[in-house]
Amino acid sequence: MKDYILEACIDSTESAVIATLAGANRLELCGNLMIGGTTPSLALYKQIRKTCENRIHVLIRPRFGDFCYTEHELSIMCEEIRMFKEHGADGVVIGALAPDGSVDWKAMDRMIAAADGLWVTMHRAFDMCKDPYRELERCVEHGVSCILTSGQENYCTDGLACLKKLIEIADDRIQILVGSGVDAGVIAKVYEETGAAVYHMSGKEVLDSEMIYRKENVYMGLDGLSEYTVWRTKKENIEAVVAVLKQL
C-alpha cells in the first residue's frame, strides 16, 4: 500500500520521537493517555514541534469522562483550539455529544469555527453516538476532515462490518481513521474486510518507574492505578505496523 497513513497517539516528547523515527507519518498529541487522553500542555506541544518534523494533530478534551460539555468547558476548548492554531498545529481532534446520543453540532460548529481552516478530526465520541451513518453525513456537511472510529465497538476487529459501511458511505468525501486495538497482527484482516488505508495506534509499552522508594498505599489519581508505571510508545510496535502496511 503506497498511500497509507499511520497516526501515532502519543503523550510525551519521548513517544513522539520514537513514533516518528519508527515510521508514523502523523501524530495525535494528547495528555494523559492512561485515562483516554486529555488536552496536552502548550509547552509539550512546543517541545515536540521543535523536536519532530511530523504533522501534529492536537486532542482537545478538557477532562476524563463523557463528551457532554458545559458552557465553561466549551469556552475553554475553543480558546485552546485557537491557541494551538496560533502556534502552528496542523489539526485538532474534537468531539461533543448531546444527552440524547446525537452529535452536539452547536458545540462542534463553535469548535470548527475556532479551528478556522485547520484539519478537524472527530474523535471516538463518534463511537458513542446513536446513529453513526447519519452523523457521518453531518460530519461531511459541517466540514469535518476525518472521523476516528473503531466501528462503534471497543476494538476495531469487532467493528469491521460498521467500518466497512462507513468507508463505503464516506466515498473519499471524509477520511475514516481506524483506531482501537490496531497492531501488526490485525492490520491485514482489517484491510481485507474494509479496505481501510488510514490507521491510528499508540503502540505503547508499559514501563516500570525508575523510583526505588515507593509508597504503594498512596494514589494520586484513580484508586488502584499504579503511580509507578509509565506509558511510552514502543519503536518495534510502530515499525511492525509500517512493515505490514507497506506489504499490502
Side-chain angles (χ1 to χ4, degrees), residues 181-230:
V182 170
D183 61 30
V186 307
I187 290 282
K189 178 178 176 62
V190 174
Y191 176 72
E192 180 182 341
E193 295 286 334
T194 69
V198 188
Y199 295 90
H200 169 100
M201 66 182 292
S202 68
K204 70 179 182 296
E205 61 179 337
V206 180
L207 304 176
D208 192 42
S209 167
E210 294 182 1
M211 288 293 298
I212 297 171
Y213 176 77
R214 300 187 178 197
K215 202 78 167 178
E216 299 283 3
N217 62 315
V218 177
Y219 300 101
M220 298 298 163
L222 299 175
D223 285 354
L225 189 64
S226 174
E227 302 293 334
Y228 301 104
T229 57
V230 178

mmCIF file of all heavy atoms in Angstrom, residues 181-230:
data_model
loop_
_atom_site.group_PDB
_atom_site.id
_atom_site.type_symbol
_atom_site.label_atom_id
_atom_site.label_comp_id
_atom_site.label_asym_id
_atom_site.label_seq_id
_atom_site.Cartn_x
_atom_site.Cartn_y
_atom_site.Cartn_z
ATOM 1 N N GLY A 181 -7.122 -0.970 19.210
ATOM 2 C CA GLY A 181 -6.710 -2.348 19.005
ATOM 3 C C GLY A 181 -5.882 -2.574 17.762
ATOM 4 O O GLY A 181 -5.676 -3.713 17.342
ATOM 5 N N VAL A 182 -5.403 -1.486 17.153
ATOM 6 C CA VAL A 182 -4.606 -1.607 15.922
ATOM 7 C C VAL A 182 -3.185 -2.030 16.281
ATOM 8 O O VAL A 182 -2.514 -1.398 17.089
ATOM 9 C CB VAL A 182 -4.574 -0.264 15.154
ATOM 10 C CG1 VAL A 182 -3.564 -0.321 14.015
ATOM 11 C CG2 VAL A 182 -5.964 0.066 14.629
ATOM 12 N N ASP A 183 -2.749 -3.137 15.674
ATOM 13 C CA ASP A 183 -1.358 -3.571 15.772
ATOM 14 C C ASP A 183 -1.038 -4.416 14.547
ATOM 15 O O ASP A 183 -1.904 -4.624 13.682
ATOM 16 C CB ASP A 183 -1.076 -4.331 17.079
ATOM 17 C CG ASP A 183 -1.903 -5.602 17.243
ATOM 18 O OD1 ASP A 183 -2.259 -6.235 16.234
ATOM 19 O OD2 ASP A 183 -2.182 -5.981 18.389
ATOM 20 N N ALA A 184 0.186 -4.898 14.468
ATOM 21 C CA ALA A 184 0.622 -5.621 13.275
ATOM 22 C C ALA A 184 -0.176 -6.893 13.038
ATOM 23 O O ALA A 184 -0.296 -7.356 11.901
ATOM 24 C CB ALA A 184 2.112 -5.943 13.383
ATOM 25 N N GLY A 185 -0.740 -7.451 14.101
ATOM 26 C CA GLY A 185 -1.489 -8.693 13.961
ATOM 27 C C GLY A 185 -2.883 -8.544 13.387
ATOM 28 O O GLY A 185 -3.493 -9.553 12.982
ATOM 29 N N VAL A 186 -3.420 -7.328 13.337
ATOM 30 C CA VAL A 186 -4.806 -7.152 12.862
ATOM 31 C C VAL A 186 -4.912 -6.367 11.563
ATOM 32 O O VAL A 186 -5.968 -6.371 10.916
ATOM 33 C CB VAL A 186 -5.690 -6.471 13.938
ATOM 34 C CG1 VAL A 186 -5.601 -7.200 15.261
ATOM 35 C CG2 VAL A 186 -5.340 -5.002 14.114
ATOM 36 N N ILE A 187 -3.841 -5.684 11.157
ATOM 37 C CA ILE A 187 -3.920 -4.797 10.001
ATOM 38 C C ILE A 187 -4.397 -5.518 8.745
ATOM 39 O O ILE A 187 -5.283 -5.039 8.024
ATOM 40 C CB ILE A 187 -2.550 -4.122 9.728
ATOM 41 C CG1 ILE A 187 -2.226 -3.106 10.818
ATOM 42 C CG2 ILE A 187 -2.528 -3.451 8.360
ATOM 43 C CD1 ILE A 187 -2.940 -1.796 10.702
ATOM 44 N N ALA A 188 -3.820 -6.677 8.450
ATOM 45 C CA ALA A 188 -4.172 -7.387 7.218
ATOM 46 C C ALA A 188 -5.655 -7.745 7.195
ATOM 47 O O ALA A 188 -6.329 -7.583 6.166
ATOM 48 C CB ALA A 188 -3.312 -8.637 7.059
ATOM 49 N N LYS A 189 -6.185 -8.208 8.325
ATOM 50 C CA LYS A 189 -7.600 -8.574 8.399
ATOM 51 C C LYS A 189 -8.494 -7.351 8.233
ATOM 52 O O LYS A 189 -9.488 -7.388 7.493
ATOM 53 C CB LYS A 189 -7.895 -9.260 9.732
ATOM 54 C CG LYS A 189 -9.365 -9.639 9.911
ATOM 55 C CD LYS A 189 -9.579 -10.366 11.232
ATOM 56 C CE LYS A 189 -11.050 -10.664 11.478
ATOM 57 N NZ LYS A 189 -11.622 -11.558 10.444
ATOM 58 N N VAL A 190 -8.137 -6.263 8.922
ATOM 59 C CA VAL A 190 -8.952 -5.045 8.813
ATOM 60 C C VAL A 190 -8.936 -4.529 7.378
ATOM 61 O O VAL A 190 -9.982 -4.149 6.834
ATOM 62 C CB VAL A 190 -8.437 -3.962 9.789
ATOM 63 C CG1 VAL A 190 -9.191 -2.653 9.578
ATOM 64 C CG2 VAL A 190 -8.580 -4.420 11.235
ATOM 65 N N TYR A 191 -7.787 -4.550 6.764
ATOM 66 C CA TYR A 191 -7.677 -4.082 5.379
ATOM 67 C C TYR A 191 -8.485 -4.970 4.440
ATOM 68 O O TYR A 191 -9.213 -4.477 3.563
ATOM 69 C CB TYR A 191 -6.212 -4.051 4.946
ATOM 70 C CG TYR A 191 -6.013 -3.661 3.503
ATOM 71 C CD1 TYR A 191 -6.216 -2.351 3.085
ATOM 72 C CD2 TYR A 191 -5.632 -4.605 2.556
ATOM 73 C CE1 TYR A 191 -6.050 -1.986 1.765
ATOM 74 C CE2 TYR A 191 -5.465 -4.252 1.222
ATOM 75 C CZ TYR A 191 -5.661 -2.944 0.835
ATOM 76 O OH TYR A 191 -5.498 -2.586 -0.482
ATOM 77 N N GLU A 192 -8.382 -6.272 4.622
ATOM 78 C CA GLU A 192 -9.108 -7.208 3.761
ATOM 79 C C GLU A 192 -10.612 -7.027 3.874
ATOM 80 O O GLU A 192 -11.336 -7.085 2.889
ATOM 81 C CB GLU A 192 -8.726 -8.642 4.129
ATOM 82 C CG GLU A 192 -9.420 -9.707 3.298
ATOM 83 C CD GLU A 192 -9.050 -11.120 3.714
ATOM 84 O OE1 GLU A 192 -8.001 -11.287 4.383
ATOM 85 O OE2 GLU A 192 -9.803 -12.052 3.384
ATOM 86 N N GLU A 193 -11.081 -6.783 5.109
ATOM 87 C CA GLU A 193 -12.519 -6.675 5.343
ATOM 88 C C GLU A 193 -13.095 -5.304 4.992
ATOM 89 O O GLU A 193 -14.274 -5.200 4.630
ATOM 90 C CB GLU A 193 -12.819 -6.985 6.810
ATOM 91 C CG GLU A 193 -12.519 -8.408 7.228
ATOM 92 C CD GLU A 193 -13.531 -9.403 6.696
ATOM 93 O OE1 GLU A 193 -14.686 -9.004 6.436
ATOM 94 O OE2 GLU A 193 -13.163 -10.582 6.537
ATOM 95 N N THR A 194 -12.280 -4.241 5.102
ATOM 96 C CA THR A 194 -12.824 -2.885 4.980
ATOM 97 C C THR A 194 -12.178 -2.037 3.894
ATOM 98 O O THR A 194 -12.769 -1.046 3.461
ATOM 99 C CB THR A 194 -12.656 -2.119 6.314
ATOM 100 O OG1 THR A 194 -11.259 -1.848 6.538
ATOM 101 C CG2 THR A 194 -13.206 -2.920 7.485
ATOM 102 N N GLY A 195 -10.957 -2.372 3.486
ATOM 103 C CA GLY A 195 -10.221 -1.536 2.535
ATOM 104 C C GLY A 195 -9.610 -0.299 3.164
ATOM 105 O O GLY A 195 -9.111 0.585 2.459
ATOM 106 N N ALA A 196 -9.587 -0.233 4.497
ATOM 107 C CA ALA A 196 -9.063 0.952 5.190
ATOM 108 C C ALA A 196 -7.577 1.135 4.917
ATOM 109 O O ALA A 196 -6.805 0.175 4.926
ATOM 110 C CB ALA A 196 -9.304 0.830 6.695
ATOM 111 N N ALA A 197 -7.185 2.392 4.706
ATOM 112 C CA ALA A 197 -5.775 2.717 4.463
ATOM 113 C C ALA A 197 -5.229 3.701 5.480
ATOM 114 O O ALA A 197 -4.077 4.109 5.388
ATOM 115 C CB ALA A 197 -5.615 3.301 3.056
ATOM 116 N N VAL A 198 -6.038 4.061 6.476
ATOM 117 C CA VAL A 198 -5.654 5.083 7.450
ATOM 118 C C VAL A 198 -5.883 4.516 8.850
ATOM 119 O O VAL A 198 -7.006 4.136 9.200
ATOM 120 C CB VAL A 198 -6.474 6.378 7.251
ATOM 121 C CG1 VAL A 198 -5.943 7.490 8.135
ATOM 122 C CG2 VAL A 198 -6.453 6.815 5.794
ATOM 123 N N TYR A 199 -4.809 4.460 9.646
ATOM 124 C CA TYR A 199 -4.853 3.773 10.931
ATOM 125 C C TYR A 199 -4.276 4.640 12.053
ATOM 126 O O TYR A 199 -3.420 5.482 11.816
ATOM 127 C CB TYR A 199 -4.073 2.453 10.856
ATOM 128 C CG TYR A 199 -4.698 1.453 9.907
ATOM 129 C CD1 TYR A 199 -4.337 1.434 8.559
ATOM 130 C CD2 TYR A 199 -5.655 0.549 10.347
ATOM 131 C CE1 TYR A 199 -4.918 0.536 7.673
ATOM 132 C CE2 TYR A 199 -6.237 -0.363 9.477
ATOM 133 C CZ TYR A 199 -5.861 -0.361 8.147
ATOM 134 O OH TYR A 199 -6.445 -1.253 7.270
ATOM 135 N N HIS A 200 -4.749 4.337 13.271
ATOM 136 C CA HIS A 200 -4.396 5.108 14.475
ATOM 137 C C HIS A 200 -4.016 4.118 15.566
ATOM 138 O O HIS A 200 -4.757 3.165 15.837
ATOM 139 C CB HIS A 200 -5.624 5.926 14.884
ATOM 140 C CG HIS A 200 -5.550 6.573 16.225
ATOM 141 N ND1 HIS A 200 -5.244 7.908 16.390
ATOM 142 C CD2 HIS A 200 -5.794 6.096 17.482
ATOM 143 C CE1 HIS A 200 -5.300 8.213 17.678
ATOM 144 N NE2 HIS A 200 -5.630 7.128 18.357
ATOM 145 N N MET A 201 -2.861 4.329 16.196
ATOM 146 C CA MET A 201 -2.430 3.421 17.260
ATOM 147 C C MET A 201 -1.517 4.141 18.230
ATOM 148 O O MET A 201 -0.900 5.157 17.881
ATOM 149 C CB MET A 201 -1.693 2.214 16.665
ATOM 150 C CG MET A 201 -0.368 2.576 16.008
ATOM 151 S SD MET A 201 0.499 1.162 15.252
ATOM 152 C CE MET A 201 0.946 0.199 16.700
ATOM 153 N N SER A 202 -1.404 3.605 19.438
ATOM 154 C CA SER A 202 -0.422 4.136 20.384
ATOM 155 C C SER A 202 0.862 3.316 20.342
ATOM 156 O O SER A 202 1.947 3.859 20.533
ATOM 157 C CB SER A 202 -0.986 4.152 21.808
ATOM 158 O OG SER A 202 -1.153 2.835 22.292
ATOM 159 N N GLY A 203 0.745 2.014 20.109
ATOM 160 C CA GLY A 203 1.927 1.161 20.100
ATOM 161 C C GLY A 203 2.665 1.181 21.423
ATOM 162 O O GLY A 203 3.875 0.998 21.480
ATOM 163 N N LYS A 204 1.923 1.355 22.488
ATOM 164 C CA LYS A 204 2.549 1.619 23.784
ATOM 165 C C LYS A 204 3.137 0.358 24.421
ATOM 166 O O LYS A 204 2.718 -0.769 24.126
ATOM 167 C CB LYS A 204 1.535 2.223 24.747
ATOM 168 C CG LYS A 204 0.467 1.252 25.215
ATOM 169 C CD LYS A 204 -0.485 1.897 26.186
ATOM 170 C CE LYS A 204 -1.530 0.911 26.705
ATOM 171 N NZ LYS A 204 -2.428 0.406 25.649
ATOM 172 N N GLU A 205 4.096 0.569 25.292
ATOM 173 C CA GLU A 205 4.540 -0.425 26.246
ATOM 174 C C GLU A 205 4.455 0.209 27.626
ATOM 175 O O GLU A 205 4.515 1.433 27.776
ATOM 176 C CB GLU A 205 5.968 -0.899 25.950
ATOM 177 C CG GLU A 205 7.023 0.179 26.000
ATOM 178 C CD GLU A 205 8.413 -0.369 25.731
ATOM 179 O OE1 GLU A 205 8.629 -1.577 25.936
ATOM 180 O OE2 GLU A 205 9.285 0.426 25.313
ATOM 181 N N VAL A 206 4.285 -0.618 28.625
ATOM 182 C CA VAL A 206 4.178 -0.124 29.997
ATOM 183 C C VAL A 206 5.510 -0.361 30.685
ATOM 184 O O VAL A 206 5.952 -1.499 30.846
ATOM 185 C CB VAL A 206 3.034 -0.827 30.754
ATOM 186 C CG1 VAL A 206 2.943 -0.287 32.178
ATOM 187 C CG2 VAL A 206 1.709 -0.617 30.021
ATOM 188 N N LEU A 207 6.152 0.726 31.056
ATOM 189 C CA LEU A 207 7.475 0.666 31.672
ATOM 190 C C LEU A 207 7.375 0.816 33.186
ATOM 191 O O LEU A 207 6.507 1.539 33.693
ATOM 192 C CB LEU A 207 8.365 1.780 31.111
ATOM 193 C CG LEU A 207 8.542 1.807 29.596
ATOM 194 C CD1 LEU A 207 9.366 3.028 29.193
ATOM 195 C CD2 LEU A 207 9.185 0.527 29.101
ATOM 196 N N ASP A 208 8.261 0.157 33.868
ATOM 197 C CA ASP A 208 8.319 0.295 35.318
ATOM 198 C C ASP A 208 9.023 1.600 35.667
ATOM 199 O O ASP A 208 10.004 1.998 35.036
ATOM 200 C CB ASP A 208 9.068 -0.888 35.923
ATOM 201 C CG ASP A 208 8.920 -0.955 37.423
ATOM 202 O OD1 ASP A 208 7.806 -0.729 37.917
ATOM 203 O OD2 ASP A 208 9.927 -1.223 38.103
ATOM 204 N N SER A 209 8.514 2.281 36.681
ATOM 205 C CA SER A 209 9.103 3.541 37.136
ATOM 206 C C SER A 209 10.549 3.352 37.589
ATOM 207 O O SER A 209 10.946 2.269 38.051
ATOM 208 C CB SER A 209 8.277 4.093 38.305
ATOM 209 O OG SER A 209 8.954 5.141 38.964
ATOM 210 N N GLU A 210 11.324 4.411 37.472
ATOM 211 C CA GLU A 210 12.700 4.397 37.979
ATOM 212 C C GLU A 210 12.766 4.638 39.484
ATOM 213 O O GLU A 210 13.849 4.571 40.076
ATOM 214 C CB GLU A 210 13.527 5.455 37.246
ATOM 215 C CG GLU A 210 13.706 5.155 35.761
ATOM 216 C CD GLU A 210 14.576 6.188 35.063
ATOM 217 O OE1 GLU A 210 15.056 7.118 35.751
ATOM 218 O OE2 GLU A 210 14.767 6.061 33.843
ATOM 219 N N MET A 211 11.617 4.914 40.098
ATOM 220 C CA MET A 211 11.601 5.130 41.550
ATOM 221 C C MET A 211 12.034 3.875 42.293
ATOM 222 O O MET A 211 11.572 2.769 41.987
ATOM 223 C CB MET A 211 10.209 5.538 42.012
ATOM 224 C CG MET A 211 9.801 6.946 41.630
ATOM 225 S SD MET A 211 10.802 8.204 42.474
ATOM 226 C CE MET A 211 10.421 7.875 44.191
ATOM 227 N N ILE A 212 12.919 4.051 43.269
ATOM 228 C CA ILE A 212 13.341 2.946 44.131
ATOM 229 C C ILE A 212 12.484 2.934 45.397
ATOM 230 O O ILE A 212 11.920 1.909 45.777
ATOM 231 C CB ILE A 212 14.839 3.066 44.471
ATOM 232 C CG1 ILE A 212 15.664 2.957 43.181
ATOM 233 C CG2 ILE A 212 15.240 1.989 45.483
ATOM 234 C CD1 ILE A 212 17.134 3.280 43.374
ATOM 235 N N TYR A 213 12.380 4.093 46.037
ATOM 236 C CA TYR A 213 11.491 4.204 47.188
ATOM 237 C C TYR A 213 10.061 4.361 46.685
ATOM 238 O O TYR A 213 9.766 5.222 45.856
ATOM 239 C CB TYR A 213 11.871 5.407 48.049
ATOM 240 C CG TYR A 213 10.915 5.623 49.189
ATOM 241 C CD1 TYR A 213 10.972 4.817 50.322
ATOM 242 C CD2 TYR A 213 9.937 6.609 49.109
ATOM 243 C CE1 TYR A 213 10.079 4.992 51.367
ATOM 244 C CE2 TYR A 213 9.036 6.789 50.154
ATOM 245 C CZ TYR A 213 9.113 5.976 51.275
ATOM 246 O OH TYR A 213 8.217 6.152 52.298
ATOM 247 N N ARG A 214 9.149 3.542 47.182
ATOM 248 C CA ARG A 214 7.769 3.549 46.681
ATOM 249 C C ARG A 214 6.775 3.533 47.843
ATOM 250 O O ARG A 214 6.904 2.745 48.772
ATOM 251 C CB ARG A 214 7.520 2.347 45.768
ATOM 252 C CG ARG A 214 8.444 2.329 44.563
ATOM 253 C CD ARG A 214 8.090 1.247 43.570
ATOM 254 N NE ARG A 214 8.967 1.300 42.408
ATOM 255 C CZ ARG A 214 8.721 0.706 41.242
ATOM 256 N NH1 ARG A 214 7.601 0.010 41.076
ATOM 257 N NH2 ARG A 214 9.582 0.808 40.253
ATOM 258 N N LYS A 215 5.783 4.401 47.711
ATOM 259 C CA LYS A 215 4.698 4.470 48.695
ATOM 260 C C LYS A 215 3.478 3.816 48.053
ATOM 261 O O LYS A 215 2.609 4.479 47.464
ATOM 262 C CB LYS A 215 4.422 5.928 49.046
ATOM 263 C CG LYS A 215 3.733 6.126 50.376
ATOM 264 C CD LYS A 215 4.712 5.983 51.528
ATOM 265 C CE LYS A 215 4.103 6.486 52.823
ATOM 266 N NZ LYS A 215 5.021 6.320 53.959
ATOM 267 N N GLU A 216 3.405 2.492 48.128
ATOM 268 C CA GLU A 216 2.422 1.742 47.348
ATOM 269 C C GLU A 216 0.982 1.971 47.792
ATOM 270 O O GLU A 216 0.051 1.711 47.044
ATOM 271 C CB GLU A 216 2.744 0.241 47.419
ATOM 272 C CG GLU A 216 4.106 -0.136 46.865
ATOM 273 C CD GLU A 216 4.163 -0.168 45.341
ATOM 274 O OE1 GLU A 216 3.152 0.157 44.711
ATOM 275 O OE2 GLU A 216 5.228 -0.521 44.804
ATOM 276 N N ASN A 217 0.760 2.460 49.007
ATOM 277 C CA ASN A 217 -0.598 2.616 49.518
ATOM 278 C C ASN A 217 -1.186 3.999 49.259
ATOM 279 O O ASN A 217 -2.301 4.291 49.678
ATOM 280 C CB ASN A 217 -0.615 2.351 51.028
ATOM 281 C CG ASN A 217 0.235 3.342 51.800
ATOM 282 O OD1 ASN A 217 1.356 3.623 51.397
ATOM 283 N ND2 ASN A 217 -0.292 3.867 52.900
ATOM 284 N N VAL A 218 -0.448 4.867 48.541
ATOM 285 C CA VAL A 218 -0.927 6.227 48.267
ATOM 286 C C VAL A 218 -1.157 6.376 46.768
ATOM 287 O O VAL A 218 -0.288 6.062 45.953
ATOM 288 C CB VAL A 218 0.097 7.279 48.753
ATOM 289 C CG1 VAL A 218 -0.380 8.681 48.387
ATOM 290 C CG2 VAL A 218 0.301 7.162 50.260
ATOM 291 N N TYR A 219 -2.361 6.883 46.399
ATOM 292 C CA TYR A 219 -2.704 7.085 44.997
ATOM 293 C C TYR A 219 -2.961 8.565 44.741
ATOM 294 O O TYR A 219 -3.727 9.199 45.466
ATOM 295 C CB TYR A 219 -3.954 6.285 44.622
ATOM 296 C CG TYR A 219 -3.802 4.798 44.821
ATOM 297 C CD1 TYR A 219 -4.346 4.179 45.945
ATOM 298 C CD2 TYR A 219 -3.120 4.025 43.897
ATOM 299 C CE1 TYR A 219 -4.214 2.816 46.143
ATOM 300 C CE2 TYR A 219 -2.975 2.657 44.086
ATOM 301 C CZ TYR A 219 -3.528 2.057 45.207
ATOM 302 O OH TYR A 219 -3.378 0.711 45.395
ATOM 303 N N MET A 220 -2.333 9.099 43.727
ATOM 304 C CA MET A 220 -2.543 10.496 43.360
ATOM 305 C C MET A 220 -3.690 10.664 42.368
ATOM 306 O O MET A 220 -4.170 11.761 42.128
ATOM 307 C CB MET A 220 -1.264 11.078 42.758
ATOM 308 C CG MET A 220 -0.091 11.088 43.712
ATOM 309 S SD MET A 220 -0.433 12.129 45.141
ATOM 310 C CE MET A 220 0.827 11.557 46.278
ATOM 311 N N GLY A 221 -4.101 9.552 41.758
ATOM 312 C CA GLY A 221 -5.175 9.603 40.774
ATOM 313 C C GLY A 221 -6.258 8.607 41.127
ATOM 314 O O GLY A 221 -6.816 8.631 42.228
ATOM 315 N N LEU A 222 -6.527 7.681 40.210
ATOM 316 C CA LEU A 222 -7.565 6.688 40.427
ATOM 317 C C LEU A 222 -7.063 5.602 41.368
ATOM 318 O O LEU A 222 -5.931 5.119 41.248
ATOM 319 C CB LEU A 222 -7.976 6.051 39.088
ATOM 320 C CG LEU A 222 -8.549 7.003 38.031
ATOM 321 C CD1 LEU A 222 -8.792 6.262 36.729
ATOM 322 C CD2 LEU A 222 -9.844 7.643 38.519
ATOM 323 N N ASP A 223 -7.917 5.191 42.302
ATOM 324 C CA ASP A 223 -7.552 4.104 43.204
ATOM 325 C C ASP A 223 -7.202 2.864 42.392
ATOM 326 O O ASP A 223 -7.918 2.488 41.454
ATOM 327 C CB ASP A 223 -8.715 3.777 44.143
ATOM 328 C CG ASP A 223 -8.879 4.816 45.242
ATOM 329 O OD1 ASP A 223 -8.018 5.709 45.319
ATOM 330 O OD2 ASP A 223 -9.865 4.738 45.991
ATOM 331 N N GLY A 224 -6.107 2.233 42.758
ATOM 332 C CA GLY A 224 -5.715 1.004 42.085
ATOM 333 C C GLY A 224 -4.868 1.211 40.855
ATOM 334 O O GLY A 224 -4.322 0.253 40.304
ATOM 335 N N LEU A 225 -4.729 2.458 40.387
ATOM 336 C CA LEU A 225 -3.897 2.752 39.224
ATOM 337 C C LEU A 225 -2.496 3.085 39.718
ATOM 338 O O LEU A 225 -2.293 4.082 40.403
ATOM 339 C CB LEU A 225 -4.475 3.929 38.438
ATOM 340 C CG LEU A 225 -3.851 4.237 37.080
ATOM 341 C CD1 LEU A 225 -4.053 3.085 36.102
ATOM 342 C CD2 LEU A 225 -4.464 5.502 36.489
ATOM 343 N N SER A 226 -1.541 2.235 39.386
ATOM 344 C CA SER A 226 -0.203 2.365 39.951
ATOM 345 C C SER A 226 0.437 3.698 39.597
ATOM 346 O O SER A 226 0.359 4.169 38.461
ATOM 347 C CB SER A 226 0.696 1.234 39.436
ATOM 348 O OG SER A 226 2.037 1.424 39.874
ATOM 349 N N GLU A 227 1.089 4.287 40.574
ATOM 350 C CA GLU A 227 1.850 5.512 40.358
ATOM 351 C C GLU A 227 3.239 5.196 39.804
ATOM 352 O O GLU A 227 4.018 6.106 39.526
ATOM 353 C CB GLU A 227 2.005 6.273 41.683
ATOM 354 C CG GLU A 227 0.699 6.644 42.361
ATOM 355 C CD GLU A 227 -0.109 7.663 41.583
ATOM 356 O OE1 GLU A 227 0.488 8.440 40.813
ATOM 357 O OE2 GLU A 227 -1.347 7.664 41.742
ATOM 358 N N TYR A 228 3.544 3.919 39.649
ATOM 359 C CA TYR A 228 4.901 3.516 39.296
ATOM 360 C C TYR A 228 4.970 2.799 37.947
ATOM 361 O O TYR A 228 5.764 1.889 37.744
ATOM 362 C CB TYR A 228 5.490 2.651 40.415
ATOM 363 C CG TYR A 228 5.507 3.405 41.719
ATOM 364 C CD1 TYR A 228 4.582 3.129 42.721
ATOM 365 C CD2 TYR A 228 6.418 4.439 41.929
ATOM 366 C CE1 TYR A 228 4.587 3.853 43.903
ATOM 367 C CE2 TYR A 228 6.429 5.172 43.107
ATOM 368 C CZ TYR A 228 5.503 4.872 44.085
ATOM 369 O OH TYR A 228 5.504 5.599 45.254
ATOM 370 N N THR A 229 4.109 3.220 37.031
ATOM 371 C CA THR A 229 4.186 2.751 35.650
ATOM 372 C C THR A 229 4.176 3.957 34.720
ATOM 373 O O THR A 229 3.575 4.990 35.028
ATOM 374 C CB THR A 229 3.017 1.824 35.274
ATOM 375 O OG1 THR A 229 1.770 2.513 35.498
ATOM 376 C CG2 THR A 229 3.043 0.546 36.088
ATOM 377 N N VAL A 230 4.842 3.821 33.591
ATOM 378 C CA VAL A 230 4.919 4.877 32.577
ATOM 379 C C VAL A 230 4.533 4.270 31.235
ATOM 380 O O VAL A 230 5.046 3.220 30.853
ATOM 381 C CB VAL A 230 6.354 5.455 32.493
ATOM 382 C CG1 VAL A 230 6.442 6.509 31.400
ATOM 383 C CG2 VAL A 230 6.772 6.050 33.840
#
